[in-house]
């Protein structure tokens, strides 16, 4: 695999950073995962804008811009023979290497930029069949809107889900179903689609936004509002969204059947709509 | 500088890790900073126990033990001519390099172990003079008892303190002064020493524990109990503790004088007591 690191394209085995990188000692950086279909990154501009917002929030200055990022993405796809079919592209920017001290280093320190592309084959059968999920306490910090690499609580939640035979953990904060450990969450109650509002407690998902647009186009009533734990028994449908999650129906939550225990009609319609937007085949 | 990385002692410029290390992409690891005085690591066993607890909490398995760690520490001190005077030794253990996926990788993945030692000269004049601090919202996750490298909220708080002309940020959660961004916090009200109880909201500081022991020895009344924001005006003394913080008096908080605006008698007595324990000179 050929990866990108600080201006160079090189074999992944040769990509090396210093353990003094602030990404390693503080998790001091942000990242994005972008989908590519037949060589074309999807919503690359929206991903770049979110990264740029994160960099600004953290006070990390780079000379990157959306044009340069797109060049890197296209070259990674080409170098790795990923221009047919589908792929995901990972991009991480950290504050760079500096002697360890919490406060920001001098502005002369160069950020570290790392990117790689991998083959992605959407698990069509899993999308149709639905997955099991568990609920798990949302113990994350209160700036979940910034897509940082401080991901330990997400790692622990996902691991717990896997250990329980689930595919994702639905994070619960103050009695509310917030989002997944690496995905946003939507539910259907009384025929109405609900997802947690854009606040500091969720990641502003690109796919989440596309799904809200699709719901409007398809005439599905939708509202950005909390789903309470006390409403779990009334959920008709429940699904996750994300760049590599697409629209993934949940059929059991903590072992209890959600709705009829199959991927419901609204979930299915939004999944098909998203696949259409992506240009991804579902047959 | 000679550092330790995965079994090797090598020049720091040659120490390199993969950007696929889970320490870099997830902040998936723990760390310790240990003080050494005249070649002797202080409370090395307590630091090791805390690291071991963190590794267990995160499910990271290593073949490290306290004997091996001590060997590494002593060799780092020797290789870097740090056996006279004082030094700090940094140790970080991450879950290692694996293809990026949130859930734990197979148990065959080897953890990454990185350590280095640096000269440390306690800023005696600053200890005597006291420092300015600010209050800052504690936006961290709710497992602050694990010493992980998910340190972005700490970085942002410390940076804010520096920008405001302060030395440390005192983190406030739910109306309570919890601890510093990289230190524990003690206050004196009505002649009684108070520090936040050992819960998931604070790091169980080694120096914090030593200071509580010293208070008992010196007959200073002490209680593990919250200091409320509403009590800030009643603080007679306020100080921070930590491996490289010693006992550091705070003389202004958010620009307001604490007590008489000088390092108070209890702070001074505990600082002197700690320096005695460390064998660190204060003349």
């Amino acid at each position: 695999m050929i990866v990108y690191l600080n201006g160079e394209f090189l074999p992944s085995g040769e990509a090396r950073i210093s353990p003094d990188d602030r990404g390693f000692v503080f998790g001091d950086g942000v990242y994005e995962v972008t989908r590519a279909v037949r060589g074309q990154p999807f919503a690359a501009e929206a991903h770049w804008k979110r990264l740029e917002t994160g960099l600004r929030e953290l006070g990390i200055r780079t000379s990157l811009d959306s044009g340069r990022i797109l060049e890197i993405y296209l070259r990674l796809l080409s170098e790795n023979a990923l221009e047919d079919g589908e792929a995901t592209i990972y991009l991480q920017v950290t504050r760079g290497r500096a002697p360890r001290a919490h406060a920001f280093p001098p502005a002369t320190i160069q950020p570290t930029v790392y990117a790689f592309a991998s083959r992605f084959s959407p698990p069509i059968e899993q999308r149709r069949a639905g997955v099991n999920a568990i609920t798990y306490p949302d113990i994350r910090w209160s700036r979940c809107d910034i897509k940082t690499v401080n991901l330990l609580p997400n790692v622990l939640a996902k691991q717990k889900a896997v250990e329980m035979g689930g595919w994702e953990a639905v994070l619960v904060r103050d009695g509310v179903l917030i989002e997944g450990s690496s995905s946003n969450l939507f539910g259907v109650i009384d025929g109405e689609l609900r997802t947690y509002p854009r606040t500091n407690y969720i990641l502003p998902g690109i796919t989440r936004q596309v799904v809200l647009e699709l719901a409007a186009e398809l005439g599905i009533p939708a509202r950005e509002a909390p789903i309470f734990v006390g409403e779990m028994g009334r959920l008709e449908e429940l699904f996750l969204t994300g760049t590599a999650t697409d629209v993934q129906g949940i059929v059991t939550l903590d072992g209890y059947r959600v709705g009829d225990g199959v991927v419901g009609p609204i979930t299915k319609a939004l999944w098909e709509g998203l696949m259409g937007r992506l240009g991804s085949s579902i047959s």
Side-chain angles (χ1 to χ4, degrees), chain A residues 68-151:
Chain A
R68 177 65 184 136
I69 293 290
L70 192 59
E71 266 174 39
I72 294 170
Y73 285 5
L74 294 176
R75 175 131 174 226
L76 284 173
L77 293 173
S78 138
E79 294 270 2
N80 293 287
L82 292 169
E83 288 168 308
D84 64 325
E86 302 203 22
T88 54
I89 311 164
Y90 180 85
L91 170 68
Q92 177 170 339
V93 181
T94 75
R95 207 182 303 274
R97 178 195 185 172
R100 187 181 182 279
H102 286 66
F104 299 173
T108 49
I109 298 294
Q110 287 300 306
T112 298
V113 183
Y114 175 53
F116 64 87
S118 318
R119 174 64 68 197
F120 181 71
S121 302
I124 305 284
E125 277 319 304
Q126 177 190 296
R127 302 281 189 258
R128 290 193 202 281
V131 294
N132 303 319
I134 63 165
T135 58
Y136 196 75
D138 191 349
I139 61 171
R140 298 176 298 170
W141 70 335
S142 54
R143 287 305 304 272
C144 302
D145 56 317
I146 313 177
K147 200 168 170 75
T148 82
V149 293
N150 268 219
L151 288 170

Side-chain angles (χ1 to χ4, degrees), chain A residues 237-274:
Chain A
E237 301 184 36
L238 189 63
F239 62 86
L240 305 161
T241 64
T243 291
T245 302
D246 296 330
V247 169
Q248 174 62 64
I250 294 174
V251 291
T252 74
L253 185 59
D254 291 336
Y256 294 97
R257 207 162 64 177
V258 174
D260 297 329
V262 295
V263 173
I266 291 177
T267 306
K268 191 157 176 288
L270 291 167
W271 175 58
E272 289 170 352
L274 176 69

Side-chain angles (χ1 to χ4, degrees), chain A residues 13-279:
Chain A
E14 292 171 24
R16 286 288 183 270
I17 57 168
S18 166
D20 294 327
D21 194 289
R22 291 177 61 102
F24 189 69
V25 295
F26 293 124
D28 192 2
V30 289
Y31 76 104
E32 284 294 329
V33 181
T34 302
R35 182 84 158 264
V37 179
R38 286 183 299 280
Q40 292 307 309
F42 180 75
E45 189 64 23
H47 282 285
W48 165 250
K49 285 282 172 213
R50 186 169 64 185
L51 189 81
E52 209 177 24
T53 302
L55 291 169
R56 195 171 51 240
E57 288 283 338
L58 302 188
I60 297 176
R61 267 169 288 197
T62 81
S63 56
L64 289 173
D65 59 38
S66 62
R68 177 65 184 136
I69 293 290
L70 192 59
E71 266 174 39
I72 294 170
Y73 285 5
L74 294 176
R75 175 131 174 226
L76 284 173
L77 293 173
S78 138
E79 294 270 2
N80 293 287
L82 292 169
E83 288 168 308
D84 64 325
E86 302 203 22
T88 54
I89 311 164
Y90 180 85
L91 170 68
Q92 177 170 339
V93 181
T94 75
R95 207 182 303 274
R97 178 195 185 172
R100 187 181 182 279
H102 286 66
F104 299 173
T108 49
I109 298 294
Q110 287 300 306
T112 298
V113 183
Y114 175 53
F116 64 87
S118 318
R119 174 64 68 197
F120 181 71
S121 302
I124 305 284
E125 277 319 304
Q126 177 190 296
R127 302 281 189 258
R128 290 193 202 281
V131 294
N132 303 319
I134 63 165
T135 58
Y136 196 75
D138 191 349
I139 61 171
R140 298 176 298 170
W141 70 335
S142 54
R143 287 305 304 272
C144 302
D145 56 317
I146 313 177
K147 200 168 170 75
T148 82
V149 293
N150 268 219
L151 288 170
L152 247 182
N154 310 65
V155 162
L156 297 177
K158 183 78 86 179
Q159 175 63 18
K160 186 70 181 178
V162 168
E163 287 171 8
M164 303 288 287
W167 191 78
E168 178 59 299
V170 170
L171 303 177
V172 177
R173 194 190 287 256
D174 294 338
V176 173
L177 309 186
I178 302 280
E179 61 180 343
S181 77
S182 65
S183 53
N184 291 120
L185 181 76
F186 287 76
V188 179
I189 294 178
D190 295 335
E192 183 194 54
L193 196 58
R194 258 197 253 168
T195 193
Y196 198 78
R198 268 192 68 164
T199 67
N200 51 313
Y201 291 120
I202 67 161
L203 185 84
I206 313 289
T207 309
R208 173 185 178 279
Q209 195 54 42
V210 173
V211 164
L212 284 171
E213 288 166 22
L214 286 168
E217 283 175 22
L218 296 170
I220 300 164
R223 193 157 52 101
E224 293 181 65
I227 300 166
F228 296 95
V229 166
E231 294 178 307
M232 275 167 52
R234 293 176 54 209
L235 284 166
E236 292 145 17
E237 301 184 36
L238 189 63
F239 62 86
L240 305 161
T241 64
T243 291
T245 302
D246 296 330
V247 169
Q248 174 62 64
I250 294 174
V251 291
T252 74
L253 185 59
D254 291 336
Y256 294 97
R257 207 162 64 177
V258 174
D260 297 329
V262 295
V263 173
I266 291 177
T267 306
K268 191 157 176 288
L270 291 167
W271 175 58
E272 289 170 352
L274 176 69
M275 294 298 98
R277 284 266 192 122
L278 280 168

